[in-house]
Amino acid sequence: MRDKSTIKYSQIIAALEAENLFISASRIDEQAEYSKIETDSRLIEKNDVFVCIKGFVSDGHAFAEKAFNNGAALFIVEKKLEQDYQQIVVKNYRKAAAVLGKLFFADPTSKFKLIGITGTNGKTTIASLTEEILRRNGKRTGLIGTLGFAINGSQYKSERTTPDIFDLNRIFEKMVEENVEFVVMEVSSHALALDRVYGLHFDAALFTNLTQDHLDFHTDLQDYAEAKFKLFEQVQMNNGISLLNIDDPVGKEFYNKIESNKYSISFDLADFQIKECEFNLESSSFQLKFNQFQKLNSAPSYKESSREVSLNSAPLRKGRSREVSLNSAPLRKGRSREVSLNSAPLRK
């Protein structure tokens, strides 16, 4: 469980300076300590930190007085408040909230493996399958997405695909308390554009596709794509693994931009090759071939020898259970493997 001790003023300043977010401070109290941090003035209690975030409907700066009356002792702002409150002016309040969230919640994503799934379509399906494969093979897991969040198979509800940064850290904290080893998380373009996942320690990420969607929020497809790529920039900073659908033009562009630890997915020759697809009203099945290769003169050279891995994972009917088996011996250099996946649709 997280250390519930207070956070010092000097720790807050140091965290903001480390990310080049600090601009200035008013009514400095080097000895001050704070209990918790919020972006909602209604949740503020005595000795809390209030981050003033400007949203699409309201501006947190307008609720500073209410937060003060509720007990806020420090304000994180982008524009200096007229009131004579202790306040820190920052360059970006959303990034500041993310950085301070890590500080107040003791950096929970550094304590498990975090896998991000992004793209227009397929996030929920892929995240759910990935989490269940891990859990059915004895791993302690977390899942965050459109349907809420789950810890070791127990389901909870959340309001957004990617929750508010402090709500998200509370979920992560609960997962740490439950000794979770892997967390699979749907990551929306909104969350990336609004820095709701800024600073999280992503160990791996997967890109599904990009289609005409969310253009009420993003100015155009290029802006939409750039928001998605932020996830892979975070993965690269953490020396993590990127998996990309290169049959999608944007996925291929991302693959070419990423410098290391990247794997391609395609119906054609790729690191992960999808083969022998079969679809009917009752089920879907395909084989996933993993090709390990060496680069010769900058061109990948694939080997054809392979070994078999069986993976059967059909979505559950209500009240049913199932087994997922994954038997996989380590590959030798230059080998590939076959994975078969059988997935039956849910029945009401």
Side-chain angles (χ1 to χ4, degrees):
M1 184 176 290
R2 167 173 76 97
D3 181 4
K4 301 295 184 181
S5 61
T6 56
I7 297 298
K8 297 178 180 179
Y9 177 86
S10 58
Q11 291 176 280
I12 291 174
I13 294 295
L16 294 172
E17 287 181 335
E19 294 289 331
N20 194 30
L21 292 169
F22 177 82
I23 293 179
S24 64
S26 301
R27 293 193 62 198
I28 298 171
D29 182 357
E30 296 285 357
Q31 305 304 315
E33 296 185 357
Y34 309 96
S35 303
K36 60 185 179 71
I37 187 167
E38 300 286 357
T39 58
D40 187 336
S41 61
R42 296 168 296 183
L43 301 177
I44 288 292
E45 297 175 333
K46 184 178 179 181
N47 218 38
D48 285 354
V49 177
F50 180 58
V51 184
C52 299
I53 290 182
K54 184 177 181 180
F56 296 106
V57 177
S58 59
D59 185 346
H61 294 78
F63 295 90
E65 186 172 352
K66 182 177 181 180
F68 179 79
N69 291 336
N70 286 344
L74 174 64
F75 294 81
I76 309 297
V77 300
E78 255 193 27
K79 56 183 180 182
K80 189 174 180 181
L81 299 171
E82 293 180 358
Q83 297 95 326
D84 187 27
Y85 299 155
Q86 186 182 35
Q87 55 190 291
I88 298 173
V89 182
V90 295
K91 296 177 182 178
N92 183 310
Y93 41 66
R94 292 188 183 276
K95 288 183 177 179
V99 168
L100 296 181
K102 286 177 63 176
L103 177 63
F104 273 82
F105 290 90
D107 196 9
T109 62
S110 67
K111 298 170 184 175
F112 48 69
K113 299 294 183 184
L114 180 61
I115 303 167
I117 312 294
T118 197
T120 305
N121 302 307
K123 292 189 296 294
T124 301
T125 299
I126 292 172
S128 298
L129 283 172
T130 302
E131 183 273 337
E132 186 159 354
I133 289 168
L134 289 165
R135 181 162 47 86
R136 295 284 179 158
N137 282 274
K139 304 301 181 183
R140 299 185 66 83
T141 63
L143 175 67
I144 301 174
T146 306
L147 303 178
F149 69 96
I151 301 176
N152 295 317
S154 297
Q155 190 73 32
Y156 305 85
K157 288 185 179 180
S158 63
E159 294 182 1
R160 291 181 287 262
T161 300
T162 309
D164 167 87
I165 187 61
F166 299 142
D167 289 338
L168 190 56
N169 273 284
R170 289 185 184 98
I171 293 170
F172 287 145
E173 179 183 56
K174 185 174 178 63
M175 290 176 173
V176 170
E177 291 171 356
E178 295 292 332
N179 299 313
V180 161
E181 301 169 88
F182 293 87
V183 175
V184 186
M185 177 178 173
E186 294 180 52
V187 185
S188 69
S189 60
H190 293 69
L192 289 159
L194 297 174
D195 293 312
R196 286 197 204 130
V197 295
Y198 179 80
L200 300 186
H201 192 285
F202 284 98
D203 296 279
L206 182 143
F207 174 81
T208 62
N209 49 59
L210 193 91
T211 62
Q212 296 268 358
D213 202 358
H214 301 306
L215 296 185
D216 56 333
F217 178 80
H218 300 284
T219 55
D220 52 33
L221 276 176
Q222 183 62 34
D223 181 60
Y224 185 20
E226 288 174 359
K228 293 290 189 186
F229 193 69
K230 283 186 175 183
L231 175 59
F232 296 94
E233 290 177 327
Q234 285 184 234
V235 170
Q236 289 180 88
M237 287 177 62
N238 296 325
N239 197 32
I241 297 171
S242 299
L243 300 101
L244 305 111
N245 169 22
I246 61 170
D247 288 342
D248 183 277
V250 174
K252 190 170 185 178
E253 179 184 340
F254 285 2
Y255 182 83
N256 292 332
K257 287 172 68 175
I258 295 170
E259 296 180 356
S260 61
N261 294 339
K262 59 183 179 180
Y263 294 89
S264 57
I265 304 169
S266 174
F267 285 96
D268 296 320
L269 200 58
D271 299 305
F272 290 94
Q273 184 180 1
I274 303 166
K275 301 172 60 182
E276 300 184 26
C277 299
E278 294 183 10
F279 307 102
N280 56 53
L281 294 176
E282 293 296 323
S283 67
S284 302
S285 67
F286 60 92
Q287 289 189 338
L288 186 63
K289 183 177 182 182
F290 176 44
N291 296 299
Q292 282 196 328
F293 63 91
Q294 295 174 303
K295 288 188 176 181
L296 302 174
N297 298 324
S298 299
S301 174
Y302 292 88
K303 306 294 184 181
E304 292 302 322
S305 55
S306 65
R307 64 180 66 189
E308 297 289 331
V309 178
S310 65
L311 173 62
N312 298 307
S313 179
L316 290 176
R317 299 179 190 178
K318 190 173 182 181
R320 300 289 183 87
S321 63
R322 69 170 175 265
E323 295 297 325
V324 177
S325 61
L326 178 60
N327 301 307
S328 176
L331 286 176
R332 297 178 183 176
K333 190 174 182 180
R335 297 292 182 88
S336 63
R337 64 178 57 158
E338 300 279 344
V339 178
S340 64
L341 174 64
N342 299 308
S343 179
L346 282 173
R347 296 183 180 181
K348 292 183 180 180

PDB file of all heavy atoms in Angstrom, residues 237-249:
ATOM      1  N   MET A 237      10.637   6.380 -24.883  1.00  0.00           N
ATOM      2  CA  MET A 237      11.355   6.988 -23.760  1.00  0.00           C
ATOM      3  C   MET A 237      11.619   5.967 -22.662  1.00  0.00           C
ATOM      4  O   MET A 237      12.621   6.051 -21.951  1.00  0.00           O
ATOM      5  CB  MET A 237      10.544   8.161 -23.200  1.00  0.00           C
ATOM      6  CG  MET A 237      10.528   9.387 -24.081  1.00  0.00           C
ATOM      7  SD  MET A 237       9.476  10.697 -23.401  1.00  0.00           S
ATOM      8  CE  MET A 237      10.311  11.025 -21.842  1.00  0.00           C
ATOM      9  N   ASN A 238      10.716   4.973 -22.538  1.00  0.00           N
ATOM     10  CA  ASN A 238      10.863   3.941 -21.519  1.00  0.00           C
ATOM     11  C   ASN A 238      11.570   2.700 -22.044  1.00  0.00           C
ATOM     12  O   ASN A 238      11.625   1.682 -21.350  1.00  0.00           O
ATOM     13  CB  ASN A 238       9.484   3.555 -20.978  1.00  0.00           C
ATOM     14  CG  ASN A 238       8.793   4.701 -20.271  1.00  0.00           C
ATOM     15  OD1 ASN A 238       9.435   5.512 -19.616  1.00  0.00           O
ATOM     16  ND2 ASN A 238       7.485   4.777 -20.409  1.00  0.00           N
ATOM     17  N   ASN A 239      12.100   2.799 -23.270  1.00  0.00           N
ATOM     18  CA  ASN A 239      12.766   1.661 -23.909  1.00  0.00           C
ATOM     19  C   ASN A 239      11.834   0.452 -23.991  1.00  0.00           C
ATOM     20  O   ASN A 239      12.255  -0.700 -23.813  1.00  0.00           O
ATOM     21  CB  ASN A 239      14.054   1.281 -23.149  1.00  0.00           C
ATOM     22  CG  ASN A 239      14.978   0.407 -23.979  1.00  0.00           C
ATOM     23  OD1 ASN A 239      15.031   0.519 -25.207  1.00  0.00           O
ATOM     24  ND2 ASN A 239      15.699  -0.487 -23.330  1.00  0.00           N
ATOM     25  N   GLY A 240      10.553   0.731 -24.275  1.00  0.00           N
ATOM     26  CA  GLY A 240       9.549  -0.320 -24.350  1.00  0.00           C
ATOM     27  C   GLY A 240       9.391  -0.879 -25.751  1.00  0.00           C
ATOM     28  O   GLY A 240      10.167  -0.592 -26.659  1.00  0.00           O
ATOM     29  N   ILE A 241       8.346  -1.695 -25.923  1.00  0.00           N
ATOM     30  CA  ILE A 241       8.094  -2.412 -27.174  1.00  0.00           C
ATOM     31  C   ILE A 241       6.875  -1.820 -27.875  1.00  0.00           C
ATOM     32  O   ILE A 241       5.834  -1.602 -27.250  1.00  0.00           O
ATOM     33  CB  ILE A 241       7.857  -3.907 -26.895  1.00  0.00           C
ATOM     34  CG1 ILE A 241       9.121  -4.537 -26.298  1.00  0.00           C
ATOM     35  CG2 ILE A 241       7.446  -4.653 -28.161  1.00  0.00           C
ATOM     36  CD1 ILE A 241       8.904  -5.950 -25.793  1.00  0.00           C
ATOM     37  N   SER A 242       6.987  -1.588 -29.186  1.00  0.00           N
ATOM     38  CA  SER A 242       5.877  -1.079 -29.994  1.00  0.00           C
ATOM     39  C   SER A 242       5.452  -2.129 -31.009  1.00  0.00           C
ATOM     40  O   SER A 242       6.291  -2.701 -31.708  1.00  0.00           O
ATOM     41  CB  SER A 242       6.302   0.204 -30.736  1.00  0.00           C
ATOM     42  OG  SER A 242       6.674   1.217 -29.830  1.00  0.00           O
ATOM     43  N   LEU A 243       4.144  -2.384 -31.086  1.00  0.00           N
ATOM     44  CA  LEU A 243       3.583  -3.304 -32.069  1.00  0.00           C
ATOM     45  C   LEU A 243       2.607  -2.526 -32.938  1.00  0.00           C
ATOM     46  O   LEU A 243       1.712  -1.850 -32.416  1.00  0.00           O
ATOM     47  CB  LEU A 243       2.872  -4.473 -31.394  1.00  0.00           C
ATOM     48  CG  LEU A 243       3.749  -5.346 -30.486  1.00  0.00           C
ATOM     49  CD1 LEU A 243       3.513  -4.975 -29.028  1.00  0.00           C
ATOM     50  CD2 LEU A 243       3.468  -6.811 -30.701  1.00  0.00           C
ATOM     51  N   LEU A 244       2.765  -2.644 -34.280  1.00  0.00           N
ATOM     52  CA  LEU A 244       1.979  -1.787 -35.169  1.00  0.00           C
ATOM     53  C   LEU A 244       1.411  -2.551 -36.352  1.00  0.00           C
ATOM     54  O   LEU A 244       2.118  -3.347 -36.986  1.00  0.00           O
ATOM     55  CB  LEU A 244       2.845  -0.628 -35.675  1.00  0.00           C
ATOM     56  CG  LEU A 244       3.481   0.197 -34.556  1.00  0.00           C
ATOM     57  CD1 LEU A 244       4.975  -0.011 -34.542  1.00  0.00           C
ATOM     58  CD2 LEU A 244       3.143   1.659 -34.675  1.00  0.00           C
ATOM     59  N   ASN A 245       0.142  -2.278 -36.647  1.00  0.00           N
ATOM     60  CA  ASN A 245      -0.515  -2.821 -37.826  1.00  0.00           C
ATOM     61  C   ASN A 245      -0.038  -2.042 -39.048  1.00  0.00           C
ATOM     62  O   ASN A 245      -0.490  -0.926 -39.294  1.00  0.00           O
ATOM     63  CB  ASN A 245      -2.031  -2.701 -37.662  1.00  0.00           C
ATOM     64  CG  ASN A 245      -2.777  -2.992 -38.951  1.00  0.00           C
ATOM     65  OD1 ASN A 245      -2.269  -3.661 -39.855  1.00  0.00           O
ATOM     66  ND2 ASN A 245      -4.001  -2.490 -39.056  1.00  0.00           N
ATOM     67  N   ILE A 246       0.862  -2.620 -39.825  1.00  0.00           N
ATOM     68  CA  ILE A 246       1.424  -1.896 -40.971  1.00  0.00           C
ATOM     69  C   ILE A 246       0.562  -2.031 -42.222  1.00  0.00           C
ATOM     70  O   ILE A 246       0.896  -1.448 -43.263  1.00  0.00           O
ATOM     71  CB  ILE A 246       2.881  -2.332 -41.263  1.00  0.00           C
ATOM     72  CG1 ILE A 246       2.948  -3.826 -41.617  1.00  0.00           C
ATOM     73  CG2 ILE A 246       3.787  -1.979 -40.093  1.00  0.00           C
ATOM     74  CD1 ILE A 246       4.315  -4.243 -42.141  1.00  0.00           C
ATOM     75  N   ASP A 247      -0.543  -2.774 -42.154  1.00  0.00           N
ATOM     76  CA  ASP A 247      -1.501  -2.766 -43.262  1.00  0.00           C
ATOM     77  C   ASP A 247      -2.285  -1.453 -43.269  1.00  0.00           C
ATOM     78  O   ASP A 247      -2.884  -1.090 -44.280  1.00  0.00           O
ATOM     79  CB  ASP A 247      -2.471  -3.943 -43.152  1.00  0.00           C
ATOM     80  CG  ASP A 247      -1.800  -5.269 -43.482  1.00  0.00           C
ATOM     81  OD1 ASP A 247      -0.728  -5.239 -44.116  1.00  0.00           O
ATOM     82  OD2 ASP A 247      -2.340  -6.321 -43.093  1.00  0.00           O
ATOM     83  N   ASP A 248      -2.293  -0.764 -42.148  1.00  0.00           N
ATOM     84  CA  ASP A 248      -2.874   0.574 -42.064  1.00  0.00           C
ATOM     85  C   ASP A 248      -1.792   1.586 -42.438  1.00  0.00           C
ATOM     86  O   ASP A 248      -0.666   1.522 -41.921  1.00  0.00           O
ATOM     87  CB  ASP A 248      -3.359   0.838 -40.641  1.00  0.00           C
ATOM     88  CG  ASP A 248      -4.043   2.180 -40.501  1.00  0.00           C
ATOM     89  OD1 ASP A 248      -3.329   3.203 -40.333  1.00  0.00           O
ATOM     90  OD2 ASP A 248      -5.277   2.221 -40.557  1.00  0.00           O
ATOM     91  N   PRO A 249      -2.076   2.530 -43.346  1.00  0.00           N
ATOM     92  CA  PRO A 249      -1.045   3.496 -43.784  1.00  0.00           C
ATOM     93  C   PRO A 249      -0.421   4.279 -42.631  1.00  0.00           C
ATOM     94  O   PRO A 249       0.788   4.519 -42.620  1.00  0.00           O
ATOM     95  CB  PRO A 249      -1.808   4.423 -44.738  1.00  0.00           C
ATOM     96  CG  PRO A 249      -2.970   3.616 -45.207  1.00  0.00           C
ATOM     97  CD  PRO A 249      -3.346   2.724 -44.059  1.00  0.00           C
TER      98      PRO A 249
END
